[in-house]
Amino acid sequence: MTQYNPRFSELSEALNKDDANVWAVSDRAHELADKGEDVIFLCVGDPNFDTPEPILDYTRARLGVGRTHYSPDAGEPVLRRAIADIESKVSPHPCSADDVVVFPGGTNAIYAVLACLLNPGEELLIPEPMYIGYVPICDALRLNMKKVACPADNDFAFDVDDIKAAIGEDTRAVMVNTPVNPTGAMATPEQLRELAAYCRERGIWLICDEMYSMITFARRHTSLRSAAEHLDNVVVIDGLSKSHAMSGWRLGWAVAQGPLVERLAKFAGATIFGCPQFIQEAAAFALEFDTYFVEEMRSAYQKRRDLIVERINNIPGLNCTSPDAGMFVMVDVSAVAHSKDGNCGEAFAEALLDAERVSVLPGAPFGPSARNHVRLTLAAEEGELARALDRIERFVASGSRQAG
Ligand SMILES: Cc1ncc(COP(=O)(O)O)c(C=O)c1O
């Protein structure tokens, strides 16, 4: 009998590669936990809070009145209006429901925006360290991802001059993330305004992923839409996964202008055919009425950040700066971890898991600027964090960090 030889699209071939590197330590940690070992996980970016009860109650009510049918491609009007109202409140530019398209999560919004703006082979500029999730999206769309370093010795700060210098003839778009996953760095309004103006002058798009916009500590987040002078080349992406502990609800959105909004809606129509009605209505409710719980979670993250920063900086050989925002702390381990290939973060993470059963993410997959770092999450209870920090302290003191 002849063998059927399956053939796949270039898109699926591009996605069909081993990304074990990114999650290698965490996968091993899960294997250990499955065998009954007491592993502490500090690697995830999923809020460890339950979705606030009023949102659950509202959702039950909407399910109860049959809001379980198809929904418009661009999203339910009530949610598009709620998102536009939030944008309008913080921006000198009015935003209307017509500027918003709803997607099932930030990931899908980013995919849709890039798919509508760039062709395979075209260049997208992204500052690094950057969110790991951009890689498969760019792979699937076969984009040429060009990274711009935000070095650790400058606290991973956004540098507009570096980004401008990296924009070349082939660049079709720049995608920034503020606050940044993993570093917590935030762009200033002036930086966003300058970059938006420069991109416009060069005839290219500026996309801003603002997924952590509501988890800030040092100062309020500035949206690209509020900073930019003109809006015709800018796109903002945000969602409820982090701020409202609604990661599993899959609810994100893009805010843009006329022609792009129409195209995004058509893309959503072709690929999603509308997000669930009851989830969109719950999202509108969350945005309009649920600021109390968002503030409670934000302040819990801030306390956890302070705990980690204080404890880490008291461990000889480790150091970290206090992030302005987001759900993570980056710890510099270069003084205590050694690795032949210079990937100190990975050596540290592997050895820490071996010795003390604490799972942290190595920095390198986020970009070369983070190879000396590991990422610790704020999405764990204070008691759990304190227990993990005790183990990290013991690990460093024991000298068992000579990995690699
Ligand atoms: C910077 C950033 N953008 C986008 C996303 C994806 O968000 P969502 O879970 O809504 O798809 C994440 C999730 O971790 C993120 O950290």
Side-chain angles (χ1 to χ4, degrees):
M1 213 166 65
T2 54
Q3 189 85 21
Y4 176 62
N5 187 17
R7 288 173 57 196
F8 301 99
S9 67
E10 285 177 21
L11 183 152
S12 90
E13 289 296 349
L15 279 175
N16 189 35
K17 64 176 193 193
D18 196 2
D19 64 350
N21 253 353
V22 177
W23 297 107
V25 182
S26 139
D27 289 348
R28 208 156 63 75
H30 281 287
E31 281 165 24
L32 291 167
D34 288 346
K35 285 184 197 146
E37 302 240 10
D38 171 25
V39 180
I40 305 181
F41 289 89
L42 297 189
C43 42
V44 295
D46 193 355
N48 69 321
F49 298 101
D50 291 331
T51 302
E53 199 58 42
I55 301 177
L56 299 181
D57 284 343
Y58 190 78
T59 311
R60 289 182 196 110
R62 300 315 292 164
L63 279 166
V65 294
R67 297 296 286 154
T68 53
H69 294 271
Y70 287 131
S71 172
D73 291 342
E76 286 292 330
V78 66
L79 175 57
R80 295 174 79 199
R81 268 198 308 275
I83 294 165
D85 286 350
I86 290 217
E87 283 288 335
S88 298
K89 262 187 218 149
V90 296
S91 169
H93 308 291
C95 180
S96 91
D98 294 340
D99 300 326
V100 179
V101 182
V102 178
F103 291 95
T107 304
N108 195 256
I110 295 166
Y111 188 96
V113 166
L114 293 177
C116 287
L117 299 183
L118 287 97
N119 292 310
E122 289 185 335
E123 185 177 282
L124 172 69
L125 220 76
I126 309 186
E128 62 83 16
M130 63 174 196
Y131 171 50
I132 297 170
Y134 297 152
V135 176
I137 297 176
C138 291
D139 285 346
L141 296 170
R142 280 146 294 143
L143 303 182
N144 177 12
M145 197 199 310
K146 185 170 163 190
K147 297 179 189 168
V148 185
C150 299
D153 55 15
N154 193 25
D155 286 341
F156 303 110
F158 202 77
D159 187 324
V160 176
D161 289 337
D162 287 350
I163 299 175
K164 278 160 80 173
I167 294 174
E169 283 307 309
D170 296 333
T171 312
R172 284 289 312 276
V174 176
M175 182 159 74
V176 297
N177 168 216
T178 177
V180 176
N181 172 5
T183 66
M186 294 170 80
T188 66
E190 295 74 24
Q191 287 175 320
L192 291 172
R193 173 187 291 263
E194 184 184 343
L195 191 57
Y198 186 76
C199 287
R200 190 166 187 271
E201 215 177 285
R202 297 290 302 253
I204 64 177
W205 292 95
L206 178 59
I207 304 154
C208 195
D209 172 351
E210 306 188 1
M211 201 56 69
Y212 296 87
S213 61
M214 296 184 218
I215 309 179
T216 63
F217 313 126
R219 58 193 159 87
R220 288 182 81 90
H221 163 77
T222 304
S223 167
L224 170 63
R225 264 188 118 262
S226 66
E229 196 172 345
H230 301 281
L231 298 182
D232 41 8
N233 71 318
V234 305
V235 190
V236 165
I237 290 159
D238 205 338
L240 296 185
S241 297
K242 313 294 177 174
S243 56
H244 290 69
M246 292 176 74
S247 50
W249 297 61
R250 311 312 298 135
L251 201 291
W253 59 83
V255 187
Q257 281 214 314
L260 175 56
V261 171
E262 282 161 27
R263 284 158 198 263
L264 287 171
K266 291 222 162 81
F267 186 92
T271 53
I272 304 154
F273 207 52
C275 296
Q277 288 178 324
F278 61 95
I279 289 183
Q280 293 185 74
E281 290 176 350
F285 173 85
L287 286 172
E288 282 174 49
F289 300 111
D290 212 30
T291 50
Y292 170 76
F293 290 96
V294 172
E295 174 49 29
E296 274 214 324
M297 290 187 271
R298 193 206 62 78
S299 95
Y301 289 131
Q302 183 161 357
K303 275 177 75 185
R304 295 170 188 178
R305 174 202 66 167
D306 293 343
L307 168 74
I308 294 180
V309 170
E310 195 195 334
R311 289 280 313 267
I312 288 289
N313 285 328
N314 277 325
I315 300 176
L318 296 188
N319 97 77
C320 65
T321 43
S322 185
D324 288 343
M327 285 174 52
F328 311 101
V329 176
M330 294 296 274
V331 179
D332 183 346
V333 297
S334 57
V336 298
H338 306 286
S339 134
K340 274 185 228 128
D341 60 1
N343 192 344
C344 296
E346 188 178 83
F348 183 92
E350 292 281 3
L352 176 65
L353 181 64
D354 285 340
E356 290 288 351
R357 302 295 191 246
V358 177
S359 172
V360 298
L361 274 194
F366 296 93
S369 298
R371 8 185 335 109
N372 285 340
H373 290 71
V374 294
R375 190 191 79 170
L376 272 53
T377 187
L378 303 180
E381 295 293 337
E382 267 181 73
E384 186 81 339
L385 287 174
R387 233 161 46 87
L389 288 159
D390 289 344
R391 293 186 188 187
I392 292 173
E393 188 171 354
R394 192 167 58 202
F395 168 66
V396 174
S398 75
S400 58
R401 70 274 178 188
Q402 302 287 343

